[in-house]
Amino acid sequence: MGFSIDGVEGLPEIAKGADLAAIIVGATSLEEGDILVITSKIVSKAEGRVVAAADREQAITDETVRVVATREYEGGVTRIVENRQGIIGAAAGVDASNAPDGTVLLLPIDPDASARALATGIRALTGISIGVILSDTLGRPWRDGQTDIAIGAAGVHVFDDLRGATDAAGKPLAVTMPCVADEIAGAAELVKGKSAGVPVAVVRGLGRYVGELDLPGARSIQRPPERDLFRVGADEAYDNGYRDGFDEAQNEGPLRRDL
Amino acid sequence: MGFSIDGVEGLPEIAKGADLAAIIVGATSLEEGDILVITSKIVSKAEGRVVAAADREQAITDETVRVVATREYEGGVTRIVENRQGIIGAAAGVDASNAPDGTVLLLPIDPDASARALATGIRALTGISIGVILSDTLGRPWRDGQTDIAIGAAGVHVFDDLRGATDAAGKPLAVTMPCVADEIAGAAELVKGKSAGVPVAVVRGLGRYVGELDLPGARSIQRPPERDLFRVGADEAYDNGYRDGFDEAQNEGPLRRDL
């Protein structure tokens, strides 16, 4: 029981309108059950999700649904936000790296829909069942560095739902639900890298996770804020509480706000 | 540029005092540059980090350095804590799954030291350079499900430090520092699984991340609370702020507490 991951070499620079499904099929020899991990940046390029670098801050604002936390550093402010894709990360995924000079790339408008279109196209061109994961690189609370995660998925189970299954000793794995889509996206980063210019990797040997095109996408991984113990930053939550407590003591409350 | 991951089959049940290095070497044919991902549970078993299930709550308290957040559910309270290993997670890593009946397993006291001892032993037995990652399964903010991460590491670079490197277009990757140890641990989960009873995986093809035994371990991945925007849960931070604001308005303050 093992698997392999190989980067797809020799892909051309992707321009707006590029037929990514055809380009990827032409550059690979896919097998039934393969999972393609595609860096979301080339999907953004194909979809023309590019704006002038000068408009970066406005683009972040436009992509933001909810500000989660902010941090000042010398030279600016990092905004951790929930973006329109529902993903929580720095700068709403707006990023200059691997973007054309003088521009920044926005995430695809609907990464699950983009993944589904690619999976549909690749399945049609090859006649075999493959899965598609769109990946992006994100930081995380509590741990330094970044990992690639799945921001879009189609034709692949994003969770290995073991709730109700048992461990090797027969004991139930009550709450265990590994997010295999994120683990696969992170694994693919190890061959794609950031500087190698290898935006696509083929994962072979995990066909058990490949399924119908209408399986829940990566959006189903995102935890709704009302279930999230870390839905806003500690400083933002403290400041909200301080303001409400102050007002309450002055008999203008109770004003406990939703976080 | 690719790699493969294979689970190690046929390992015996691990008892206290087991010579894990010898057992793993006996069950594998390792090559220079391999990275072994070892489920921390079998290290806990070898180190005798087992307590009676009845003592679970006390064990969690004993392992806890700092309570980060709590969540009540029908039947109990989940405690998200920073444990003595510096890892933030539910129940301080105290877990009954794959533990002997009537017991729960604690994490190794010092996972980096355990990893270093294993890497040292395996290098001595085989005469080749390999890396060792100890993995555990943790949930995360913002996204449902769990992924395996590195809680211990030796002889392997935990970060692929690209700060100062450039992207394919020659632009600097200012803050990019992929946490390859977490990505490798997550990838290995895909073959080890939770129920398969395969606690060790061999990663082949990532020898570029293997290095000296004195490289920084997994502890270096952990972000200190003072740099962490999510160092406590939103409700806890709000309540701290509310209390302080209330006291302040009653001229008993300022009492702004450290979070």
Side-chain angles (χ1 to χ4, degrees), chain A residues 219-241:
Chain A
R219 188 133 202 161
S220 68
I221 301 170
Q222 297 154 22
R223 180 179 298 130
E226 58 272 18
R227 281 202 292 109
D228 196 329
L229 301 183
F230 302 91
R231 72 193 75 86
V232 294
D235 290 342
E236 287 75 9
Y238 180 95
D239 293 343
N240 290 340

Side-chain angles (χ1 to χ4, degrees), chain A residues 37-223:
Chain A
V37 183
I38 302 171
T39 303
S40 59
K41 279 211 156 53
I42 66 169
V43 177
S44 297
K45 290 178 179 178
E47 295 180 358
R49 295 275 291 159
V50 184
V51 300
D55 301 330
R56 179 176 183 276
E57 291 306 312
Q58 184 58 46
I60 294 171
T61 301
D62 296 343
E63 293 292 300
T64 295
V65 171
R66 179 174 71 91
V67 176
V68 173
T70 60
R71 175 184 45 201
E72 296 185 6
Y73 60 94
E74 73 280 6
V77 174
T78 296
R79 287 183 272 173
I80 311 294
V81 305
E82 178 179 333
N83 64 13
R84 66 165 85 196
Q85 295 81 5
I87 300 155
I88 296 177
V94 176
D95 186 18
S97 60
N98 286 304
D101 274 348
T103 70
V104 293
L105 287 166
L106 316 181
L107 293 180
I109 292 246
D110 182 344
D112 283 328
S114 301
R116 191 168 300 107
L118 283 165
T120 302
I122 294 167
R123 288 184 179 199
L125 288 166
T126 60
I128 59 176
S129 246
I130 53 84
V132 168
I133 290 172
L134 300 195
S135 66
D136 194 25
T137 304
L138 279 90
R140 58 265 173 95
W142 310 337
R143 296 173 75 76
D144 280 334
Q146 306 88 32
T147 59
D148 274 22
I149 63 170
I151 68 165
V156 59
H157 293 266
V158 296
F159 294 113
D160 185 0
D161 194 343
L162 299 170
R163 293 171 299 177
T166 58
D167 65 15
K171 260 177 300 187
L173 294 163
V175 297
T176 305
M177 192 172 70
C179 185
V180 294
D182 281 349
E183 291 180 325
I184 292 167
E189 193 280 325
L190 294 163
V191 302
K192 292 187 301 175
K194 291 285 159 299
S195 49
V198 177
V200 180
V202 176
V203 181
R204 184 158 296 164
L206 297 179
R208 65 186 179 279
Y209 295 128
V210 173
E212 298 307 311
L213 290 173
D214 60 358
L215 285 167
R219 188 133 202 161
S220 68
I221 301 170
Q222 297 154 22
R223 180 179 298 130

Side-chain angles (χ1 to χ4, degrees), chain A residues 99 171 183 189 208 238 244, chain B residues 99 171 183 189-190 238 244:
Chain A
K171 260 177 300 187
E183 291 180 325
E189 193 280 325
R208 65 186 179 279
Y238 180 95
D244 292 354
Chain B
K171 260 177 302 186
E183 291 180 324
E189 192 280 325
L190 294 163
Y238 181 95
D244 291 356

Side-chain angles (χ1 to χ4, degrees), chain B residues 51-64 79 84 91-92 94 104 106:
Chain B
V51 300
D55 302 329
R56 179 177 183 276
E57 291 306 311
Q58 184 58 47
I60 295 171
T61 301
D62 295 343
E63 293 291 300
T64 295
R79 286 182 273 174
R84 66 165 85 195
V94 176
V104 292
L106 317 182

